């Protein structure tokens, strides 16, 4: 497993706008789309390719094409905010969905919805979620995706706490993790500090 913390001035600039509590829903969503596009480049950097013969207007040549199809899997609901940006860069990607919610009795994350393309076992699966806080939901989602046959999995998150990264590294040493920003810690309520608040609420305007 490789954990990559991105260090890009455009991402830092756009993320600072998103962190501002006075940034509205439209601007929050727009900057998330733009960051997702920038992240897509890094997340897909190591995907395997194979040689393919093509004919240009000048001559025949050996080019490259991806070995496997790509499936994006947003963790509902905030993960939906990263899909459009990724699909702008990877328009052929298929999209699965998985929803995780905390069981109020056990306090453990449980799946409440899942729908995936049929090629999950032969695809490069990119799980996306803006916030990696405790890591519990992301880890449980990856477990459930693996149970359905996925073998090649990456996790892409906008902002992460060290505690969440540690959980993914412990539970899924075979999953590459790409994070746009590593924040300081979790607070007593499990929110990332400094963070950007509830990404789902800010994305869909349900915090008003």
């Amino acid at each position: 497993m490789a954990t990559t913390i991105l260090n890009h001035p455009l991402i830092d600039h756009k993320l600072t706008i998103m962190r501002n509590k006075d940034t509205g829903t439209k601007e929050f969503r727009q900057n998330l789309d733009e960051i997702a596009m920038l992240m897509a480049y890094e997340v897909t950097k190591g995907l395997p390719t194979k040689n393919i013969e093509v004919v240009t207007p000048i001559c025949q040549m050996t080019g490259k094409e991806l070995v496997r199809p790509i499936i994006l899997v947003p963790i509902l609901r905030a993960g939906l905010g990263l899909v459009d940006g990724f699909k702008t860069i990877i328009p052929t990607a298929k999209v699965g969905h998985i929803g995780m919610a905390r069981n109020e009795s056990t306090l453990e994350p449980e799946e409440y919805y899942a729908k995936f393309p049929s090629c999950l076992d032969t695809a490069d699966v990119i799980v996306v979620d803006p916030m990696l806080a405790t890591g519990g939901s992301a880890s449980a989602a990856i477990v459930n995706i693996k149970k359905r046959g996925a073998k090649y999995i990456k996790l892409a998150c906008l902002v992460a706490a060290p505690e969440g990264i540690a959980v993914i590294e412990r539970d899924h040493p075979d999953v590459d993790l790409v994070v746009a920003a590593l924040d300081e810690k979790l607070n007593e309520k499990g929110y990332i500090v400094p963070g950007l608040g509830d990404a789902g609420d800010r994305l869909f305007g349900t915090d008003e």
Side-chain angles (χ1 to χ4, degrees), residues 61-84:
M61 65 157 287
T62 302
K64 302 284 186 181
E65 71 173 8
L66 293 172
V67 172
R68 297 185 288 263
I70 294 175
I71 296 176
L72 302 173
V73 181
I75 300 177
L76 302 177
R77 67 180 164 144
L80 293 170
L82 289 163
V83 171
D84 286 348

Side-chain angles (χ1 to χ4, degrees), residues 4-5 31-32 37 43 46 57 65 109 133 149 166 182 184 191-192:
T4 302
I5 310 298
N31 279 277
L32 183 56
M37 285 187 270
V43 174
E65 71 173 8
L182 175 61
E184 180 184 345
Y191 279 94
I192 299 174

Side-chain angles (χ1 to χ4, degrees), residues 8 16-17 46 51 54 65 83 88 90-91 97 107 124 133 137 143 145 164 172-173 179 190 202:
H8 194 292
T16 298
I17 294 171
N51 292 340
V54 298
E65 71 173 8
V83 171
T88 298
I90 320 167
H97 298 86
L107 302 183
D124 283 297
S137 293
V143 167
I145 292 168
H172 302 286
V179 175
R202 298 193 67 190

Side-chain angles (χ1 to χ4, degrees), residues 3-184:
T3 296
T4 302
I5 310 298
L6 302 181
N7 181 20
H8 194 292
L10 285 178
I11 291 178
D12 292 343
H13 172 80
K14 295 174 187 299
L15 184 54
T16 298
I17 294 171
M18 294 179 67
R19 291 185 191 274
N20 189 330
K21 67 180 180 62
D22 295 324
T23 296
T25 300
K26 180 180 181 293
E27 195 173 8
F28 187 93
R29 186 182 300 123
Q30 178 181 336
N31 279 277
L32 183 56
D33 279 345
E34 293 168 356
I35 292 175
M37 285 187 270
L38 294 168
M39 291 186 69
Y41 176 83
E42 290 293 334
V43 174
T44 57
K45 185 182 290 185
L47 295 183
T49 59
K50 62 182 178 182
N51 292 340
I52 180 174
E53 295 299 315
V54 298
V55 179
T56 79
I58 308 301
C59 64
Q60 181 169 319
M61 65 157 287
T62 302
K64 302 284 186 181
E65 71 173 8
L66 293 172
V67 172
R68 297 185 288 263
I70 294 175
I71 296 176
L72 302 173
V73 181
I75 300 177
L76 302 177
R77 67 180 164 144
L80 293 170
L82 289 163
V83 171
D84 286 348
F86 268 80
K87 279 187 65 66
T88 298
I89 304 301
I90 320 167
T92 58
K94 297 181 178 181
V95 181
H97 298 86
I98 188 165
M100 307 298 297
R102 188 174 72 166
N103 183 305
E104 294 303 325
S105 298
T106 66
L107 302 183
E108 295 297 322
E110 291 184 351
E111 176 185 293
Y112 67 85
Y113 179 82
K115 185 74 172 179
F116 301 102
S118 59
C119 59
L120 196 64
D121 60 331
T122 58
D124 283 297
V125 178
I126 304 173
V127 180
V128 295
D129 198 10
M131 313 301 285
L132 183 62
T134 65
S137 293
S139 179
I142 292 170
V143 167
N144 290 5
I145 292 168
K146 285 179 175 178
K147 287 179 179 178
R148 291 175 167 89
K151 301 180 181 69
Y152 315 104
I153 303 173
K154 295 177 181 287
L155 174 62
C157 299
L158 183 67
V159 176
E163 295 91 333
I165 290 178
V167 166
I168 298 301
E169 290 179 339
R170 180 196 70 201
D171 294 350
H172 302 286
D174 56 331
V175 172
D176 289 335
L177 171 61
V178 177
V179 175
L182 175 61
D183 277 13
E184 180 184 345

